[in-house]
Amino acid sequence: MRMKKFSVTIAGGGSTYTPGIVKLLLNNLDKFPLRQLKLYDNDKERQDIVADACEIIVKEMAPEVSFTTTTDPEEGFSDIDFVMAHIRVGKYAMREKDEKIPLKYDVIGQETCGPGGIAYGMRSIPGVLEILDYMEKYSPEAWMLNYSNPAAIVAEATRKLRPNSKILNICDMPVGIESRMAKAIGLKSRKEMDVRYYGLNHFGWWTDIRDKEGNDLKPRIIEYVKEHGYDVGDHHDASWQHTFQIAKDVQALDSETLPNTYLKYYMYGDQEVAHTDKNYTRANMVMEGREKNVFSECNRIVEAGTSEGTNLKAGDHASYIVDLARAIAYNTHERMLLIVENKGAINNFEETAMVEIPCLVGANGYEPLAQGNIPRFQKGLMEQQVAVEKLVVEAYIEKSYQKLLQALTVSKTVPNAEIAKQILDELIEANKDFWPELH
């Protein structure tokens, strides 16, 4: 039986991650065949840098796949089966402001956590909704696989504003951490493990990890993490090394579980601020490192007319995107962590909260796996954080200054309401080209 060939649009075609996703898709044509691949972005100049190189890569790796690049929504979203969305509204220039404005007040400056995540969320909501609406207008049967940040706020916005849309929200961070866990105990792949996990996006805990025979792997992983965190000696970026190492301190707060690395920003905020150079943040590192490197390599490929010898790699642990598309396309019922409406999956938690839990994924979407009751420590933290996410979305919908001030005040990363107001007023000024006008 011949497998159906699919048509995919990558929304955010000018992203530095796009070449990796393209290579990943082309490397997996035996599992997920393509007939057509499109790049869509609203920034033609930026997208062209990436797209011209990707066109050469596609011609060399899979000349039978039709390749299109466009800034026209009708062309970009017609005749497609899947949208893979990784957009960054405001690009890295706005990420830099998201990080540096809170740091002036000794508050965490991070792209998805705290005030920076709130600012980014307010920009991302209309961008993700726009892409979702284009898809539904031009390809109503298609699925949107969204891994645009900040995923928690975006997921809450789509739940509330597009409740019947065919969108699945997913994050790569748990996948990356699971790969580290597997490496730490000598497994070849995270796919040798079955996990139980619950939380919110960038705010969760692994509660059970077993091999395919049902043997408990968690004690061995905890033993490793207590000493090394998630550092398995393979990351040369000092910022990420620190993140992986400090996981051991977060893990010590609940000895029975394994934490998501992002929890460090909530549990050890002051230490993280002290560890940060307020004048040279992660956004600067990415702009001067990854962004420059990817763009110069794309230009080199175009000048050479070949991708031979390229250092552009297939997306590191981005294979989860192919797994997700395959699960829908072939009804595989693969078990994956998704960000979904709770609806009782966590028994003692808010019904409408967007939680990150294991789901079985098939042709009709997802089936969440029940997690039962969760402990008071995690429940208390999650209730505080989900209140932030819901207040941000309400602030966006109602154009409410007060709701956004409340969101910042409730955030565990912000020490008091006075500082929340000072940060908010600066963020409003910085985001005046992106946010709705607040009243």
Side-chain angles (χ1 to χ4, degrees):
M1 190 178 99
R2 287 183 64 196
M3 289 169 91
K4 177 187 169 180
K5 292 188 173 183
F6 296 94
S7 175
V8 170
T9 292
I10 298 175
S15 164
T16 56
Y17 291 99
T18 295
I21 302 290
V22 168
K23 289 195 80 169
L24 177 83
L25 288 166
L26 299 179
N27 285 341
N28 284 277
L29 291 173
D30 55 330
K31 295 187 197 132
F32 184 67
L34 294 180
R35 63 182 171 85
Q36 181 168 246
L37 182 59
K38 301 183 186 188
L39 302 190
Y40 170 83
D41 205 304
N42 59 8
D43 183 338
K44 183 179 190 304
E45 194 180 339
R46 185 183 173 93
Q47 178 167 258
D48 283 349
I49 298 169
V50 173
D52 291 350
C54 287
E55 186 169 18
I56 291 167
I57 292 168
V58 172
K59 271 189 185 139
E60 291 178 345
M61 290 180 70
E64 74 284 3
V65 175
S66 159
F67 180 78
T68 312
T69 173
T70 185
T71 56
D72 173 54
E74 186 171 2
E75 186 181 10
F77 295 93
S78 296
D79 181 33
I80 53 164
D81 301 298
F82 292 96
V83 175
M84 297 179 174
H86 55 204
I87 65 166
R88 180 180 292 279
V89 179
K91 307 189 185 72
Y92 287 116
M94 288 307 297
R95 175 176 176 175
E96 185 179 8
K97 291 180 182 180
D98 294 342
E99 293 170 353
K100 289 183 177 175
I101 289 171
L103 283 167
K104 284 164 64 175
Y105 301 89
D106 292 325
V107 169
I108 284 292
Q110 210 279 329
E111 67 163 335
T112 65
C113 304
I118 290 169
Y120 187 15
M122 287 286 285
R123 293 196 305 274
S124 295
I125 293 168
V128 169
L129 292 178
E130 180 180 74
I131 287 167
L132 190 52
D133 291 347
Y134 287 150
M135 179 188 84
E136 294 192 330
K137 180 177 180 181
Y138 297 114
S139 293
E141 297 305 309
W143 280 90
M144 179 162 160
L145 313 182
N146 181 56
Y147 43 103
S148 305
N149 273 324
I153 291 170
V154 167
E156 170 63 13
T158 56
R159 178 196 74 80
K160 204 162 168 124
L161 296 170
R162 300 291 185 276
N164 302 313
S165 290
K166 294 169 80 172
I167 177 171
L168 294 180
N169 292 289
I170 191 165
C171 176
D172 66 343
M173 199 65 215
V175 176
I177 295 170
E178 285 172 19
S179 297
R180 295 177 163 275
M181 291 175 179
K183 190 170 181 180
I185 57 168
L187 300 181
K188 287 191 178 70
S189 164
R190 56 175 278 275
K191 293 195 173 183
E192 294 176 52
M193 310 187 308
D194 281 329
V195 308
R196 289 183 74 78
Y197 175 101
Y198 69 80
L200 312 170
N201 180 240
H202 288 181
F203 204 97
W205 295 262
W206 282 266
T207 57
D208 193 79
I209 303 169
R210 295 181 187 267
D211 66 16
K212 296 299 180 183
E213 281 73 54
N215 300 306
D216 191 357
L217 302 174
K218 194 175 73 168
R220 285 169 61 199
I221 297 170
I222 286 176
E223 196 180 333
Y224 183 93
V225 170
K226 276 183 172 164
E227 195 168 333
H228 308 284
Y230 296 124
D231 187 0
V232 289
D234 65 345
H235 219 296
H236 307 301
D237 182 313
S239 166
W240 275 110
Q241 267 181 348
H242 167 74
T243 292
F244 294 133
Q245 287 162 2
I246 202 173
K248 66 185 176 197
D249 296 336
V250 183
Q251 195 278 329
L253 294 169
D254 180 8
S255 59
E256 296 301 306
T257 63
L258 288 150
N260 191 304
T261 50
Y262 281 87
L263 287 163
K264 71 172 185 171
Y265 295 112
Y266 302 93
M267 311 301 170
Y268 295 100
D270 291 347
Q271 293 89 325
E272 285 302 305
V273 170
H275 188 81
T276 304
D277 181 343
K278 294 180 182 181
N279 300 309
Y280 190 81
T281 60
R282 187 72 198 157
N284 299 114
M285 295 177 207
V286 174
M287 284 188 281
E288 291 176 28
R290 177 181 180 81
E291 189 172 50
K292 266 189 184 164
N293 296 341
V294 170
F295 285 175
S296 67
E297 180 59 13
C298 286
N299 288 330
R300 189 198 66 76
I301 289 171
V302 172
E303 280 167 30
T306 176
S307 67
E308 198 176 322
T310 183
N311 60 13
L312 292 176
K313 295 187 180 71
D316 182 7
H317 38 255
S319 58
Y320 72 95
I321 299 161
V322 171
D323 294 336
L324 183 56
R326 283 192 82 248
I328 295 166
Y330 302 118
N331 203 31
T332 65
H333 295 106
E334 175 141 7
R335 184 169 169 162
M336 304 186 78
L337 290 182
L338 297 180
I339 304 155
V340 300
E341 191 169 0
N342 183 30
K343 290 182 175 172
I346 300 173
N347 190 46
N348 56 339
F349 197 61
E350 189 166 346
E351 284 278 306
T352 63
M354 293 301 281
V355 295
E356 193 164 35
I357 51 173
C359 300
L360 301 179
V361 185
N364 298 306
Y366 64 88
E367 292 177 49
L369 299 179
Q371 302 302 303
N373 289 334
I374 61 173
R376 191 177 303 279
F377 174 65
Q378 281 86 353
K379 182 173 181 276
L381 289 165
M382 284 166 60
E383 282 174 341
Q384 183 178 16
Q385 181 59 18
V386 89
V388 175
E389 293 160 9
K390 286 184 173 293
L391 283 165
V392 172
V393 174
E394 288 169 17
Y396 173 83
I397 294 167
E398 298 167 26
K399 301 183 173 58
S400 167
Y401 177 93
Q402 181 172 290
K403 286 266 174 91
L404 205 53
L405 177 59
Q406 289 173 349
L408 280 152
T409 304
V410 171
S411 176
K412 188 167 166 54
T413 63
V414 180
N416 60 57
E418 184 184 2
I419 288 174
K421 185 177 190 312
Q422 290 171 328
I423 293 173
L424 176 56
D425 289 344
E426 276 207 55
L427 289 173
I428 288 171
E429 181 58 29
N431 284 278
K432 58 180 185 286
D433 294 338
F434 299 97
W435 290 5
E437 194 175 333
L438 304 178
H439 308 290

